[in-house]
Structure formats: structure tokens, C-alpha cells
């Protein structure tokens, strides 16, 4: 039996994430993990806060906190937000953990033993005004490749090119803004990526037919341009210490230790229950594990090249990724989310405005899979109103209220299926097969189209069967129609649970069921639609499952978050 190891890009510690961060990694990973669990698969969904590196130090400096205290506070803040979004991590760890420290130092030692790390003295930027060396992210300037004026010293987030700080045009300190910079000698460790190029190319070849184009194209671009030795140490105080004589006071580059935290976080998880959990069974000599990663395109080079290089260079049988689900950007009205410019709605703000399932549904229905997606409040409102309120919510409310008022608050007995029901059930079965296929293949937008279509079929059936008319002449036949519709409500809760889990739980409670009733539908849908037997009690909702978002609310949201109500 295959075990499924799922990881999503580690959210960085320096502040609350925006909706793009959520839909570009953690949310789709959660939908997939929930879906697999409902199918009865063994799943381990691992994530953590990424806590080392320059931005953490800068963010702590701005708050006048020591960096360790800052990271501890921010970890708890982010962890709470993801819990409120119903992200079902099996463990949400920290890259500053002792487990990650031990593993990162282990990898460094193995890579040195195997000849894949060399020591070099390099020219490094030193800020005279700040009195310190400036590692990559401490330096900003103009990208020499695309002209982006706010490129960082490690990577241009505009064109995704990996950079060295000395590549930047008009460089300046990110700490003070000073351009009073000097070049000085500093001793560092380098990962010899060129020596691993053939192995990495073979690794990409092995998966190229399966992986999304956004993933393989970025990986191939790196290989085509030629791999260079990459510096894996930094002149920083905050980070994992380098276990080598003469490197006291230096730490590992955040992009060296952060991916290793996937293993470290799994070790954290295992140590919480050592009698029943073994992290090595997921990561070491783990042939029965299918490993799936979720991330936005800016993270792809590090997970197709850097992290696999570390694992390959160790010479040890570490589990390498089987499938990478890469995402493009989610924009805010076509532009970037920006805290400083008050553009866009961030995850904590989103939860203050609407229930999490509104956001989960819209984001997955508009996931930036093959191209960038743009968030607008008008689109958000239209989707919630039409799909959740008018289709799913309408079906649930109509059926429960009609059955209770016309027959009673128990599943009614009587009547037999006709050709209308047979056709309806066959249509559902075909659509559920497609929905299941798309979720299995991580085609989320296609899956959400099918999910909505499945909801629509229920409303179409009610219109065709017209129980409100049938009951006047044949109460038993009307009872059969409503009994089937009540079972369809249960089915909708099961099918919707990966995407909108809170709503699914509310529906189950209305049907006097619980989370144990969420097993994925059996292939024989006719049996699935008879699980609620006559006499089973149900409840009528005191208020609708969803509330419509009015144009006035959209205008208010645009005014407060920087949107345009006309778009």
C-alpha cells in the first residue's frame, strides 16, 4: 500500500502571508491531503515556518525584538491563521528546531566527505555604515537581466533569475539604505552543483513527462544556463551553525537548510509519539512512499535543483520528490499584493471578513495553475453568490425545509426509483468519476468545475422531479424523491469536504451525522444514495449555509483594501 507524503512551500516567518501564498502551496496541498484521507489512504502532510535568513533579522529589527523571540511569536500567529483556514497539517514545525539543526549539519558533513563541498574565499559586500557584511538579501538593486529595480541579492523575484549580490546594478543596503558599500574577503562553503549536473538532469528526465510545464520549464532553464557552484554559508548570527573549524560565527544559507526542514519537521512529528511514529519510514529507504510537493514558481528552482542536489550528493537513500505541483501567481487586480502599499487582502484580514470556506472555494476555483490569476472582490462575490449560495446552499435549504414541512423531520419511506432517478444517478456517477480523476491528478480548476456541476445536477433533478407537485397526487412518490435528495445532500457533504470542510461538517450535523461519515463514495453510487434510511432524523437549518455578498459590501471592501468595484 502506497503512503503519501505531502509538503507545501514553507511560509516565511517575516509576516502574515497574503492569499497568493495560501493558494500557491498550502491550500491545494490541504485539499489533496483531505481527499486522500477520505479515500482511506495513509497520508502525512508536513509544513513549517521558514525562520532563518536575512528577512527574519530585518523584520525583528523593525519590531525592536531579538530574532528568536520574533520568530517564536510569528510562528504562533501563522499557525493560528492556518488552523482557522482548516489546513489539516499533520505537523506544522519550525526550521529553527533542533531536529533541523542536526539534519542540516549531517548533510553538510556527508557532502564534505563525498567531495561536493569546497571552501573558498570570496569577495563579499560590506556595509561601512552598518558595520557588517551584507549577505544576499540584505542587498537590493537593479536586476542586470530584466531591469527590475527592487531585485534582491539572491534572486530577482520578477524574472526568477538567481543572482549574486555583486551582480546587482546600483546596490544598496536593505538595512540602512546606504550605498556606502565595500568589497571585502570572506571565507565560505560552496556546493559543487556542476559535479551533480548529470545526475540532476537524469532526475528531471525521469519526471519530465509527468510534472507540470511550469515546473519542468524552470528546471530546464537552470540546466540549460549551466549550473554554478552555490555558496551555502552566510555571515549571519541567526541560523544553523556551520560544523567546521574556522567557520565559527557563520551559519548556513537559508535555502540550504529550509528544504531539509521537511525532514526535520517530520522528525519533530515523530518525536511527539516515538512509540508509534517513525520519520525514517517516510524519508529513508522509503520505496512505498509517494512524495508530492506544492509550491509557487519562485520556489521551483530550489526544489528541482538545490534540494535534490543535496540529497543526491549525500550518497544516502533519501526520498526524493515524485511529483511537484507548481503554481503561477495570484495577483490583486492584476498587480502584486503589498503590505506597505496597502494593496490586497491578507490571510488574517480575509478571515475577519468572511468564513474560511468562502476563501477556500474561490481560491481553488481560480487556482493559478496554467497562468496567473487575478483576484477581484467583484469576482469573489459573484462566485460565492452563484456557486455556494444559489447552487449548493439553495439545494440543501430547499430539500431540508420542503421535506420537514411536507412530510416531517425524518427521512421518509415509500416510492420506487423511475427512469428519471436512474438517469440522474448515472449522470452523478459519471461526474463524480471525473471529479475524482481531476483531484487525483491535481487538476484543481477542472475538479472545481465538476464539483459545481455535481451541485447543479441536484437542482436540475428537483426541477425535473417536482416533488412539490407530485405530493398532491402521490405522497409515496414524493417521499422517494425527497429521500433521494436527502441522500444527495449527504453525498454533497462528502464530495465538498476537501474544499470546504467547515461547510461539509455543518451539512453533516444537519443530517445528524459526523465526520466519520466522510468516506469517499463507493463506485456503486446507487448504494451510496440509500445510506440515509427511512426514519433517520435530520434538522432544518436555522439560517442559510451562506450569505450573499452585496454590491455595497463589495464597494466597502474595495475602499478598504485598494480594489476597484467596477472590475
Amino acid at each position: 500500500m502506497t503512503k503519501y507524503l505531502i509538503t507545501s512551500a514553507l511560509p516565511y516567518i517575516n509576516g502574515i502571508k497574503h492569499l497568493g501564498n495560501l493558494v500557491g502551496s498550502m491550500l491545494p496541498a490541504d485539499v489533496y491531503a483531505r481527499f486522500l484521507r477520505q479515500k482511506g489512504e495513509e497520508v502525512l502532510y508536513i509544513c513549517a515556518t521558514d525562520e532563518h535568513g536575512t528577512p527574519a533579522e530585518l523584520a525583528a529589527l523593525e519590531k525592536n525584538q531579538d530574532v528568536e523571540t520574533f520568530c517564536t511569536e510569528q510562528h504562533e500567529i501563522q499557525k493560528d491563521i492556518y488552523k482557522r483556514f482548516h489546513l489539516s497539517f499533520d505537523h506544522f514545525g519550525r526550521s529553527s528546531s533542533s531536529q533541523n539543526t542536526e539534519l542540516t549539519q549531517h548533510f553538510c558533513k556527508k557532502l564534505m566527505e563525498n567531495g561536493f563541498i569546497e571552501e573558498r574565499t570570496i569577495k563579499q559586500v560590506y556595509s561601512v555604515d552598518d558595520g557588517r557584511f551584507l549577505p544576499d538579501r540584505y542587498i537590493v538593486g537593479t536586476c542586470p537581466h530584466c531591469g527590475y529595480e527592487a531585485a534582491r541579492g539572491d534572486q530577482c523575484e520578477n524574472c526568477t533569475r538567481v543572482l549574486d549580490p555583486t551582480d546587482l546594478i546600483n546596490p544598496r543596503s536593505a538595512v540602512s539604505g546606504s550605498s556606502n558599500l565595500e568589497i571585502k574577503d570572506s571565507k565560505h562553503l560552496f556546493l559543487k552543483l556542476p559535479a551533480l549536473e548529470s545526475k540532476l538532469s537524469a532526475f528531471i528526465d525521469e519526471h519530465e513527462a509527468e510534472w507540470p510545464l511550469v515546473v519542468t520549464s524552470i528546471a530546464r532553464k537552470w540546466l540549460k544556463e549551466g549550473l554554478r557552484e552555490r555558496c551555502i554559508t552566510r555571515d549571519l548570527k541567526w541560523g544553523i551553525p556551520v560544523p567546521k573549524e574556522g567557520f565559527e560565527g557563520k551559519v548556513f544559507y537559508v535555502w540550504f537548510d529550509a528544504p531539509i526542514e521537511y525532514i526535520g519537521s517530520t522528525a519533530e512529528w515523530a518525536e511527539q509519539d516515538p512509540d508509534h511514529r517513525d520519520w525514517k519510514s517516510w524519508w529513508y529507504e522509503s520505496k512505498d512512499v509517494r512524495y508530492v510537493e506544492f509550491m509557487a514558481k519562485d520556489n521551483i528552482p530550489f526544489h528541482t535543483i538545490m534540494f535534490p542536489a543535496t540529497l543526491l550528493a549525500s550518497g544516502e537513500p533519501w526520498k526524493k520528490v515524485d511529483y511537484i505541483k507548481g503554481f503561477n501567481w495570484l495577483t490583486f487586480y492584476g498587480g502584486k499584493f503589498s503590505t506597505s502599499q496597502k494593496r490586497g487582502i491578507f490571510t488574517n484580514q480575509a478571515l475577519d471578513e468572511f468564513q474560511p470556506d468562502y476563501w477556500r472555494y474561490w481560491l481553488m476555483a481560480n487556482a493559478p495553475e496554467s497562468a496567473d490569476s487575478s483576484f477581484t472582490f467583484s469576482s469573489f462575490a459573484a462566485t460565492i453568490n452563484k456557486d455556494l449560495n444559489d447552487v449548493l446552499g439553495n439545494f440543501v435549504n430547499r430539500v431540508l425545509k420542503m421535506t420537514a414541512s411536507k412530510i416531517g423531520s425524518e427521512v421518509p419511506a415509500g416510492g420506487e426509483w423511475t427512469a428519471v432517478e436512474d438517469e440522474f444517478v448515472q449522470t452523478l456517477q459519471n461526474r463524480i468519476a471525473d471529479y475524482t480523476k481531476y483531484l487525483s491528478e491535481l487538476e484543481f480548476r477542472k475538479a472545481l468545475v465538476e464539483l459545481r456541476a455535481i451541485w447543479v445536477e441536484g437542482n436540475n433533478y428537483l426541477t425535473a422531479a417536482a416533488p412539490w407537485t407530485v405530493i398532491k397526487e402521490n405522497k409515496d412518490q414524493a417521499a422517494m424523491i425527497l429521500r433521494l435528495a436527502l441522500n444527495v445532500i449527504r453525498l454533497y457533504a462528502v464530495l465538498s469536504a476537501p474544499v470546504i470542510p467547515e461547510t461539509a461538517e455543518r451539512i453533516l450535523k444537519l443530517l445528524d451525522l459526523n465526520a466519520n461519515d466522510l468516506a469517499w463514495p463507493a463506485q456503486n453510487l446507487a448504494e451510496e444514495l440509500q445510506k440515509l434510511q427511512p426514519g433517520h432524523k435530520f434538522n432544518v437549518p436555522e439560517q442559510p449555509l451562506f450569505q450573499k455578498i452585496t454590491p455595497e459590501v463589495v464597494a466597502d471592501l474595495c475602499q478598504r483594501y485598494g480594489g476597484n468595484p467596477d472590475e
Side-chain angles (χ1 to χ4, degrees):
M1 181 176 174
T2 300
K3 302 194 297 185
Y4 290 84
L5 173 63
I6 299 172
T7 64
S8 53
L10 307 185
Y12 200 69
I13 199 68
N14 66 332
I16 292 167
K17 306 298 109 178
H18 59 66
L19 295 177
N21 297 122
L22 189 66
V23 74
S25 58
M26 292 176 282
L27 179 56
D30 177 67
V31 171
Y32 185 55
R34 287 177 175 275
F35 163 67
L36 291 175
R37 292 188 192 112
Q38 283 184 249
K39 291 188 70 183
E41 305 287 0
E42 185 177 359
V43 174
L44 183 62
Y45 178 21
I46 291 293
C47 195
T49 39
D50 180 4
E51 300 186 6
H52 293 139
T54 304
E57 288 196 357
L58 288 174
L61 191 64
E62 288 178 10
K63 288 182 172 286
N64 198 28
Q65 289 181 303
D66 70 86
V67 66
E68 188 169 358
T69 300
F70 169 81
C71 289
T72 299
E73 288 184 2
Q74 293 300 314
H75 171 81
E76 292 302 322
I77 289 170
Q78 289 200 35
K79 184 178 180 181
D80 178 66
I81 289 172
Y82 304 141
K83 182 179 180 181
R84 291 167 62 198
F85 265 108
H86 305 302
L87 300 185
S88 59
F89 304 120
D90 288 288
H91 186 71
F92 186 69
R94 303 180 61 183
S95 68
S96 60
S97 68
S98 60
Q99 293 86 350
N100 195 39
T101 296
E102 182 179 341
L103 281 160
T104 299
Q105 292 177 339
H106 166 81
F107 276 107
C108 177
K109 291 173 183 176
K110 292 301 297 184
L111 269 57
M112 285 192 292
E113 288 174 14
N114 296 338
F116 289 107
I117 286 180
E118 68 178 18
E119 182 181 318
R120 291 185 185 177
T121 298
I122 63 172
K123 302 293 184 183
Q124 193 166 340
V125 178
Y126 183 85
S127 173
V128 176
D129 294 337
D130 297 328
R132 61 181 297 172
F133 282 104
L134 293 178
D136 36 30
R137 283 201 176 199
Y138 273 65
I139 309 162
V140 293
T142 300
C143 175
H145 303 288
C146 70
Y148 181 58
E149 294 182 353
R152 302 188 308 259
D154 62 342
Q155 184 182 25
C156 175
E157 63 180 19
N158 185 57
C159 69
T160 75
R161 291 283 191 100
V162 173
L163 304 170
D164 284 324
T166 52
D167 294 335
L168 294 173
I169 300 167
N170 299 322
R172 59 195 180 277
S173 167
V175 179
S176 62
S178 172
S179 57
N180 186 12
L181 308 178
E182 295 180 353
I183 305 298
K184 289 189 175 185
D185 288 344
S186 184
K187 190 166 58 175
H188 286 282
L189 299 181
F190 279 72
L191 175 60
K192 297 163 69 174
L193 283 177
L196 294 157
E197 190 163 340
S198 61
K199 289 186 177 181
L200 288 168
S201 185
F203 173 66
I204 302 301
D205 287 343
E206 182 183 348
H207 299 289
E208 189 155 18
E210 183 185 9
W211 288 359
L213 181 61
V214 68
V215 175
T216 56
S217 61
I218 291 173
R220 284 293 174 203
K221 179 183 174 184
W222 266 52
L223 290 169
K224 184 178 180 181
E225 291 173 354
L227 299 181
R228 295 182 298 166
E229 290 84 357
R230 298 297 301 176
C231 183
I232 60 168
T233 54
R234 293 293 185 267
D235 288 295
L236 289 172
K237 294 180 181 178
W238 174 243
I240 294 177
V242 179
K244 179 175 171 60
E245 187 177 347
F247 280 74
E248 295 79 9
K250 296 180 189 286
V251 300
F252 285 105
Y253 175 37
V254 62
W255 269 115
F256 183 74
D257 79 78
I260 296 170
E261 168 57 12
Y262 293 135
I263 309 174
S265 189
T266 309
E268 294 172 50
W269 164 80
E271 288 182 19
Q272 291 177 349
D273 188 4
D275 292 337
H276 301 95
R277 298 174 180 175
D278 175 17
W279 67 267
K280 284 191 175 181
S281 69
W282 293 90
W283 283 103
Y284 202 80
E285 295 182 336
S286 45
K287 295 179 181 178
D288 61 338
V289 173
R290 178 168 172 79
Y291 176 22
V292 183
E293 293 181 353
F294 291 77
M295 69 195 62
K297 58 187 177 184
D298 58 332
N299 287 332
I300 287 170
F302 300 98
H303 292 78
T304 55
I305 303 294
M306 291 285 287
F307 187 38
T310 300
L311 300 179
L312 288 166
S314 74
E316 298 174 322
W318 294 100
K319 178 64 187 176
K320 288 172 285 296
V321 65
D322 293 297
Y323 189 86
I324 298 177
K325 178 64 176 179
F327 290 88
N328 290 279
W329 304 127
L330 176 71
T331 65
F332 185 76
Y333 288 83
K336 290 186 176 182
F337 287 80
S338 172
T339 306
S340 60
Q341 297 175 24
K342 297 184 179 178
R343 275 184 50 83
I345 184 164
F346 285 66
T347 49
N348 59 331
Q349 298 166 324
L351 290 168
D352 289 340
E353 300 292 348
F354 300 104
Q355 59 169 284
D357 281 357
Y358 282 28
W359 301 106
R360 289 179 62 108
Y361 182 79
W362 188 93
L363 290 168
M364 294 311 302
N366 296 275
E369 292 177 301
S370 59
D372 292 351
S373 297
S374 179
F375 177 88
T376 71
F377 285 112
S378 296
S379 167
F380 176 72
T383 298
I384 300 310
N385 293 346
K386 291 176 183 176
D387 294 5
L388 293 186
N389 188 80
D390 294 351
V391 182
L392 176 60
N394 178 57
F395 181 81
V396 172
N397 291 331
R398 284 172 73 193
V399 171
L400 292 175
K401 288 182 177 179
M402 191 187 314
T403 308
S405 64
K406 301 292 186 183
I407 299 177
S409 56
E410 294 182 355
V411 175
E416 298 292 335
W417 282 11
T418 69
V420 174
E421 282 70 43
D422 289 338
E423 182 180 354
F424 169 53
V425 172
Q426 186 59 53
T427 299
L428 279 183
Q429 186 146 336
N430 292 340
R431 288 206 173 275
I432 291 169
D434 286 340
Y435 177 53
T436 303
K437 172 178 175 288
Y438 290 138
L439 284 178
S440 298
E441 295 175 353
L442 308 180
E443 295 284 350
F444 294 109
R445 289 181 73 143
K446 290 180 180 179
L448 269 285
V449 168
E450 284 301 322
L451 179 59
R452 185 187 189 279
I454 290 166
W455 296 340
V456 169
E457 294 296 346
N459 286 284
N460 291 343
Y461 170 68
L462 279 188
T463 300
W468 50 86
T469 299
V470 172
I471 199 168
K472 297 174 183 176
E473 298 179 356
N474 189 337
K475 189 173 181 179
D476 278 355
Q477 192 66 12
M480 179 277 299
I481 295 168
L482 291 172
R483 183 172 66 252
L484 175 57
L486 287 166
N487 273 282
V488 170
I489 290 176
R490 189 199 72 83
L491 178 67
Y492 285 177
V494 172
L495 297 174
S496 305
V499 183
I500 46 174
E502 185 177 297
T503 299
E505 285 191 18
R506 290 170 64 195
I507 292 173
L508 289 178
K509 285 181 181 177
L510 289 171
L511 296 175
D512 200 25
L513 299 171
N514 56 50
N516 295 328
D517 299 294
L518 280 175
W520 203 251
Q523 288 188 338
N524 187 341
L525 197 59
E527 291 183 9
E528 195 78 23
L529 290 171
Q530 298 179 61
K531 287 196 171 182
L532 291 182
Q533 290 290 306
H536 183 94
K537 294 186 183 221
F538 64 85
N539 305 293
V540 176
E542 296 179 1
Q543 58 185 16
L545 288 174
F546 310 102
Q547 298 291 331
K548 283 201 169 185
I549 303 172
T550 66
E552 292 76 18
V553 170
V554 170
D556 175 63
L557 291 165
C558 288
Q559 193 275 327
R560 288 189 287 122
Y561 294 108
N564 183 347
D566 296 326
E567 289 187 35

